[in-house]
Short mmCIF file of all heavy atoms in Angstrom, two decimals:
data_model
loop_
_atom_site.label_atom_id
_atom_site.label_comp_id
_atom_site.label_asym_id
_atom_site.label_seq_id
_atom_site.Cartn_x
_atom_site.Cartn_y
_atom_site.Cartn_z
N LEU A 1 115.93 190.72 -183.20
CA LEU A 1 117.12 191.24 -182.53
C LEU A 1 118.28 190.25 -182.62
O LEU A 1 119.43 190.65 -182.81
CB LEU A 1 116.80 191.55 -181.07
CG LEU A 1 117.96 192.07 -180.20
CD1 LEU A 1 118.57 193.33 -180.78
CD2 LEU A 1 117.48 192.32 -178.76
N LEU A 2 117.96 188.97 -182.53
CA LEU A 2 118.99 187.94 -182.64
C LEU A 2 119.61 187.95 -184.02
O LEU A 2 120.83 187.83 -184.18
CB LEU A 2 118.38 186.57 -182.34
CG LEU A 2 119.34 185.39 -182.15
CD1 LEU A 2 120.34 185.67 -181.04
CD2 LEU A 2 118.57 184.11 -181.87
N ASN A 3 118.79 188.13 -185.05
CA ASN A 3 119.30 188.25 -186.42
C ASN A 3 120.17 189.50 -186.57
O ASN A 3 121.21 189.47 -187.23
CB ASN A 3 118.15 188.29 -187.42
CG ASN A 3 117.71 186.90 -187.85
OD1 ASN A 3 118.33 186.25 -188.68
ND2 ASN A 3 116.63 186.43 -187.23
N ASP A 4 119.74 190.60 -185.96
CA ASP A 4 120.52 191.83 -186.03
C ASP A 4 121.88 191.64 -185.37
O ASP A 4 122.91 192.10 -185.89
CB ASP A 4 119.77 192.97 -185.34
CG ASP A 4 120.55 194.28 -185.36
OD1 ASP A 4 120.62 194.91 -186.42
OD2 ASP A 4 121.12 194.65 -184.30
N LEU A 5 121.91 190.97 -184.24
CA LEU A 5 123.16 190.72 -183.52
C LEU A 5 124.15 189.94 -184.39
O LEU A 5 125.32 190.32 -184.50
CB LEU A 5 122.88 189.95 -182.23
CG LEU A 5 124.10 189.46 -181.44
CD1 LEU A 5 124.94 190.63 -180.95
CD2 LEU A 5 123.67 188.59 -180.26
N TRP A 6 123.67 188.88 -185.03
CA TRP A 6 124.56 188.03 -185.81
C TRP A 6 124.91 188.62 -187.17
O TRP A 6 126.06 188.56 -187.60
CB TRP A 6 123.93 186.64 -185.99
CG TRP A 6 124.05 185.77 -184.79
CD1 TRP A 6 123.08 185.52 -183.86
CD2 TRP A 6 125.20 185.04 -184.36
NE1 TRP A 6 123.55 184.68 -182.88
CE2 TRP A 6 124.85 184.37 -183.16
CE3 TRP A 6 126.48 184.89 -184.86
CZ2 TRP A 6 125.75 183.55 -182.48
CZ3 TRP A 6 127.39 184.07 -184.18
CH2 TRP A 6 127.01 183.42 -183.01
N ILE A 7 123.92 189.19 -187.85
CA ILE A 7 124.13 189.63 -189.24
C ILE A 7 124.69 191.04 -189.34
O ILE A 7 125.63 191.30 -190.11
CB ILE A 7 122.80 189.53 -190.02
CG1 ILE A 7 122.33 188.07 -190.06
CG2 ILE A 7 122.97 190.07 -191.44
CD1 ILE A 7 120.93 187.88 -190.62
N HIS A 8 124.14 191.96 -188.56
CA HIS A 8 124.55 193.36 -188.70
C HIS A 8 125.65 193.78 -187.73
O HIS A 8 126.27 194.82 -187.92
CB HIS A 8 123.33 194.28 -188.52
CG HIS A 8 122.27 194.07 -189.55
ND1 HIS A 8 120.95 193.82 -189.24
CD2 HIS A 8 122.35 194.02 -190.90
CE1 HIS A 8 120.26 193.66 -190.36
NE2 HIS A 8 121.09 193.77 -191.37
N GLN A 9 125.88 192.98 -186.70
CA GLN A 9 126.93 193.33 -185.75
C GLN A 9 128.13 192.38 -185.86
O GLN A 9 129.22 192.79 -186.26
CB GLN A 9 126.36 193.32 -184.33
CG GLN A 9 125.25 194.36 -184.11
CD GLN A 9 124.69 194.35 -182.71
OE1 GLN A 9 125.42 194.38 -181.72
NE2 GLN A 9 123.37 194.30 -182.60
N ILE A 10 127.92 191.10 -185.53
CA ILE A 10 129.04 190.16 -185.52
C ILE A 10 129.60 189.92 -186.92
O ILE A 10 130.81 189.96 -187.14
CB ILE A 10 128.62 188.83 -184.88
CG1 ILE A 10 128.24 189.06 -183.42
CG2 ILE A 10 129.74 187.80 -184.98
CD1 ILE A 10 127.66 187.83 -182.73
N ALA A 11 128.72 189.68 -187.90
CA ALA A 11 129.19 189.39 -189.27
C ALA A 11 129.96 190.57 -189.86
O ALA A 11 130.99 190.39 -190.49
CB ALA A 11 128.00 189.02 -190.17
N ARG A 12 129.45 191.77 -189.64
CA ARG A 12 130.09 192.95 -190.24
C ARG A 12 131.34 193.39 -189.51
O ARG A 12 132.32 193.82 -190.12
CB ARG A 12 129.08 194.10 -190.28
CG ARG A 12 127.94 193.88 -191.26
CD ARG A 12 126.99 195.06 -191.28
NE ARG A 12 125.89 194.84 -192.22
CZ ARG A 12 124.89 195.69 -192.39
NH1 ARG A 12 124.86 196.82 -191.70
NH2 ARG A 12 123.92 195.42 -193.25
N ASN A 13 131.32 193.28 -188.19
CA ASN A 13 132.42 193.84 -187.39
C ASN A 13 133.34 192.79 -186.78
O ASN A 13 134.35 193.14 -186.17
CB ASN A 13 131.85 194.74 -186.30
CG ASN A 13 130.98 195.85 -186.85
OD1 ASN A 13 131.31 196.44 -187.88
ND2 ASN A 13 129.87 196.13 -186.20
N GLY A 14 132.98 191.52 -186.88
CA GLY A 14 133.84 190.47 -186.38
C GLY A 14 133.68 190.19 -184.90
O GLY A 14 132.77 190.69 -184.23
N VAL A 15 134.62 189.42 -184.37
CA VAL A 15 134.52 188.93 -182.99
C VAL A 15 134.67 190.03 -181.96
O VAL A 15 134.31 189.84 -180.79
CB VAL A 15 135.56 187.83 -182.73
CG1 VAL A 15 135.36 186.65 -183.67
CG2 VAL A 15 136.99 188.38 -182.86
N SER A 16 135.18 191.20 -182.35
CA SER A 16 135.34 192.30 -181.40
C SER A 16 134.00 192.78 -180.87
O SER A 16 133.95 193.48 -179.85
CB SER A 16 136.09 193.47 -182.05
OG SER A 16 135.39 193.95 -183.18
N GLU A 17 132.90 192.41 -181.52
CA GLU A 17 131.57 192.72 -181.01
C GLU A 17 131.28 191.92 -179.74
O GLU A 17 130.41 192.29 -178.95
CB GLU A 17 130.49 192.40 -182.06
CG GLU A 17 130.42 193.39 -183.20
CD GLU A 17 129.79 194.71 -182.78
OE1 GLU A 17 128.97 194.72 -181.85
OE2 GLU A 17 130.15 195.74 -183.39
N ILE A 18 132.04 190.84 -179.53
CA ILE A 18 131.81 189.96 -178.39
C ILE A 18 132.96 189.98 -177.40
O ILE A 18 132.77 189.93 -176.20
CB ILE A 18 131.57 188.51 -178.88
CG1 ILE A 18 130.35 188.47 -179.80
CG2 ILE A 18 131.39 187.56 -177.70
CD1 ILE A 18 129.05 188.91 -179.15
N TYR A 19 134.21 190.06 -177.91
CA TYR A 19 135.35 190.04 -176.98
C TYR A 19 136.54 190.81 -177.54
O TYR A 19 136.65 191.04 -178.75
CB TYR A 19 135.76 188.61 -176.64
CG TYR A 19 136.42 187.83 -177.77
CD1 TYR A 19 137.80 187.87 -177.98
CD2 TYR A 19 135.66 187.01 -178.61
CE1 TYR A 19 138.41 187.15 -179.00
CE2 TYR A 19 136.26 186.28 -179.63
CZ TYR A 19 137.62 186.35 -179.82
OH TYR A 19 138.21 185.63 -180.82
N THR A 20 137.42 191.23 -176.64
CA THR A 20 138.70 191.82 -176.99
C THR A 20 139.79 190.93 -176.41
O THR A 20 139.54 190.08 -175.56
CB THR A 20 138.83 193.24 -176.41
OG1 THR A 20 138.70 193.17 -174.97
CG2 THR A 20 137.75 194.16 -176.97
N SER A 21 141.03 191.11 -176.90
CA SER A 21 142.10 190.24 -176.42
C SER A 21 143.47 190.82 -176.72
O SER A 21 143.66 191.48 -177.74
CB SER A 21 141.98 188.86 -177.08
OG SER A 21 143.04 188.00 -176.68
N ASP A 22 144.39 190.56 -175.80
CA ASP A 22 145.79 190.90 -176.01
C ASP A 22 146.54 189.75 -176.69
O ASP A 22 147.71 189.89 -177.02
CB ASP A 22 146.48 191.21 -174.67
CG ASP A 22 145.86 192.41 -173.97
OD1 ASP A 22 145.40 193.32 -174.67
OD2 ASP A 22 145.85 192.43 -172.72
N PHE A 23 145.86 188.62 -176.85
CA PHE A 23 146.49 187.41 -177.39
C PHE A 23 145.92 186.99 -178.73
O PHE A 23 146.55 186.25 -179.47
CB PHE A 23 146.33 186.24 -176.40
CG PHE A 23 146.96 186.48 -175.06
CD1 PHE A 23 146.25 187.10 -174.05
CD2 PHE A 23 148.26 186.08 -174.81
CE1 PHE A 23 146.82 187.32 -172.81
CE2 PHE A 23 148.84 186.29 -173.57
CZ PHE A 23 148.12 186.92 -172.56
N ILE A 24 144.68 187.40 -179.03
CA ILE A 24 143.99 186.99 -180.26
C ILE A 24 143.78 188.21 -181.15
O ILE A 24 143.39 189.28 -180.67
CB ILE A 24 142.63 186.34 -179.93
CG1 ILE A 24 142.82 185.14 -179.01
CG2 ILE A 24 141.92 185.92 -181.21
CD1 ILE A 24 141.51 184.55 -178.50
N ASP A 25 144.02 188.04 -182.43
CA ASP A 25 143.80 189.13 -183.39
C ASP A 25 142.31 189.21 -183.70
O ASP A 25 141.79 188.48 -184.55
CB ASP A 25 144.60 188.87 -184.67
CG ASP A 25 144.48 190.01 -185.66
OD1 ASP A 25 143.81 191.01 -185.33
OD2 ASP A 25 145.06 189.91 -186.76
N THR A 26 141.60 190.10 -183.01
CA THR A 26 140.15 190.22 -183.18
C THR A 26 139.78 190.97 -184.46
O THR A 26 138.60 191.03 -184.82
CB THR A 26 139.52 190.94 -181.98
OG1 THR A 26 140.15 192.22 -181.80
CG2 THR A 26 139.70 190.13 -180.70
N SER A 27 140.76 191.54 -185.14
CA SER A 27 140.49 192.22 -186.41
C SER A 27 140.67 191.30 -187.61
O SER A 27 140.36 191.67 -188.74
CB SER A 27 141.41 193.44 -186.57
OG SER A 27 142.76 193.03 -186.67
N SER A 28 141.14 190.06 -187.36
CA SER A 28 141.39 189.12 -188.43
C SER A 28 140.08 188.70 -189.11
O SER A 28 139.06 188.49 -188.45
CB SER A 28 142.10 187.87 -187.89
OG SER A 28 142.18 186.87 -188.88
N LYS A 29 140.12 188.56 -190.43
CA LYS A 29 138.97 188.11 -191.20
C LYS A 29 139.11 186.62 -191.56
O LYS A 29 138.36 186.10 -192.39
CB LYS A 29 138.83 188.93 -192.48
CG LYS A 29 138.62 190.42 -192.25
CD LYS A 29 137.36 190.71 -191.45
CE LYS A 29 137.15 192.21 -191.26
NZ LYS A 29 135.94 192.49 -190.45
N SER A 30 140.06 185.95 -190.94
CA SER A 30 140.32 184.55 -191.24
C SER A 30 139.22 183.66 -190.66
O SER A 30 138.50 184.04 -189.73
CB SER A 30 141.67 184.13 -190.66
OG SER A 30 141.85 182.73 -190.75
N ASP A 31 139.10 182.44 -191.22
CA ASP A 31 138.17 181.45 -190.70
C ASP A 31 138.74 180.73 -189.49
O ASP A 31 138.04 179.94 -188.86
CB ASP A 31 137.82 180.41 -191.78
CG ASP A 31 137.02 181.01 -192.91
OD1 ASP A 31 136.66 182.21 -192.83
OD2 ASP A 31 136.76 180.29 -193.89
N LYS A 32 140.02 181.00 -189.20
CA LYS A 32 140.68 180.37 -188.06
C LYS A 32 141.14 181.45 -187.07
O LYS A 32 141.24 182.63 -187.41
CB LYS A 32 141.89 179.55 -188.53
CG LYS A 32 141.57 178.50 -189.59
CD LYS A 32 140.62 177.44 -189.08
CE LYS A 32 140.33 176.39 -190.16
NZ LYS A 32 139.36 175.37 -189.71
N VAL A 33 141.44 181.03 -185.85
CA VAL A 33 141.92 181.96 -184.84
C VAL A 33 143.35 182.36 -185.14
O VAL A 33 144.20 181.51 -185.40
CB VAL A 33 141.84 181.33 -183.43
CG1 VAL A 33 142.39 182.29 -182.38
CG2 VAL A 33 140.40 180.96 -183.11
N LYS A 34 143.63 183.66 -185.12
CA LYS A 34 144.97 184.17 -185.37
C LYS A 34 145.56 184.75 -184.08
O LYS A 34 144.90 185.51 -183.37
CB LYS A 34 144.94 185.25 -186.46
CG LYS A 34 144.47 184.75 -187.82
CD LYS A 34 145.45 183.75 -188.42
CE LYS A 34 145.02 183.32 -189.81
NZ LYS A 34 145.95 182.33 -190.38
N LEU A 35 146.83 184.42 -183.82
CA LEU A 35 147.51 184.90 -182.63
C LEU A 35 147.98 186.34 -182.82
O LEU A 35 148.41 186.73 -183.90
CB LEU A 35 148.73 184.01 -182.33
CG LEU A 35 149.55 184.36 -181.09
CD1 LEU A 35 148.74 184.13 -179.83
CD2 LEU A 35 150.83 183.53 -181.06
N LYS A 36 147.84 187.12 -181.76
CA LYS A 36 148.36 188.48 -181.73
C LYS A 36 148.87 188.74 -180.32
O LYS A 36 148.17 188.51 -179.35
CB LYS A 36 147.26 189.49 -182.05
CG LYS A 36 147.72 190.95 -181.94
CD LYS A 36 146.55 191.90 -181.72
CE LYS A 36 145.99 191.75 -180.33
NZ LYS A 36 144.93 192.76 -180.03
N LEU A 37 150.11 189.22 -180.22
CA LEU A 37 150.67 189.52 -178.91
C LEU A 37 150.86 191.03 -178.77
O LEU A 37 151.72 191.61 -179.43
CB LEU A 37 152.00 188.79 -178.70
CG LEU A 37 151.93 187.28 -178.49
CD1 LEU A 37 153.32 186.71 -178.33
CD2 LEU A 37 151.08 186.95 -177.28
N ASP A 38 150.06 191.64 -177.93
CA ASP A 38 150.22 193.05 -177.62
C ASP A 38 151.10 193.13 -176.38
O ASP A 38 150.62 193.10 -175.24
CB ASP A 38 148.86 193.69 -177.35
CG ASP A 38 148.93 195.21 -177.24
OD1 ASP A 38 150.00 195.70 -176.83
OD2 ASP A 38 147.94 195.88 -177.54
N LEU A 39 152.41 193.20 -176.61
CA LEU A 39 153.37 193.09 -175.51
C LEU A 39 153.22 194.22 -174.50
O LEU A 39 153.40 194.01 -173.29
CB LEU A 39 154.80 193.05 -176.07
CG LEU A 39 155.12 191.83 -176.94
CD1 LEU A 39 156.55 191.92 -177.45
CD2 LEU A 39 154.92 190.55 -176.16
N LYS A 40 152.90 195.42 -174.96
CA LYS A 40 152.73 196.54 -174.04
C LYS A 40 151.57 196.29 -173.09
O LYS A 40 151.67 196.54 -171.89
CB LYS A 40 152.53 197.83 -174.82
CG LYS A 40 153.78 198.34 -175.53
CD LYS A 40 153.53 199.69 -176.18
CE LYS A 40 154.80 200.21 -176.85
NZ LYS A 40 154.57 201.52 -177.50
N GLN A 41 150.45 195.79 -173.64
CA GLN A 41 149.30 195.52 -172.80
C GLN A 41 149.55 194.35 -171.85
O GLN A 41 149.14 194.37 -170.69
CB GLN A 41 148.07 195.22 -173.67
CG GLN A 41 147.54 196.41 -174.44
CD GLN A 41 147.10 197.54 -173.51
OE1 GLN A 41 146.51 197.31 -172.45
NE2 GLN A 41 147.42 198.76 -173.89
N ILE A 42 150.25 193.33 -172.36
CA ILE A 42 150.58 192.19 -171.51
C ILE A 42 151.50 192.63 -170.37
O ILE A 42 151.34 192.21 -169.22
CB ILE A 42 151.23 191.07 -172.34
CG1 ILE A 42 150.22 190.51 -173.34
CG2 ILE A 42 151.75 189.95 -171.43
CD1 ILE A 42 150.80 189.52 -174.32
N ALA A 43 152.46 193.51 -170.70
CA ALA A 43 153.38 194.02 -169.67
C ALA A 43 152.62 194.80 -168.61
O ALA A 43 152.92 194.70 -167.41
CB ALA A 43 154.44 194.90 -170.32
#
């Protein structure tokens, strides 16, 4: 199950399997953290 979590969920779908954010681009495929500002949600 631990392998499934990391390989088939997190690896394929990214960090959104673990968290969402109005400040971080959870759809980014970068090796680094990318900033995203959802102004409507922040408001």
Side-chain angles (χ1 to χ4, degrees):
L1 178 57
L2 191 57
N3 273 281
D4 179 75
L5 173 63
W6 282 100
I7 298 171
H8 297 127
Q9 298 180 50
I10 297 174
R12 291 181 180 177
N13 303 320
V15 301
S16 59
E17 285 287 331
I18 300 299
Y19 71 88
T20 59
S21 177
D22 298 328
F23 300 88
I24 302 173
D25 184 2
T26 56
S27 65
S28 172
K29 300 299 182 182
S30 171
D31 292 356
K32 305 296 181 182
V33 178
K34 297 295 183 181
L35 181 66
K36 176 202 72 175
L37 288 179
D38 189 331
L39 296 179
K40 289 185 178 179
Q41 291 299 321
I42 294 173

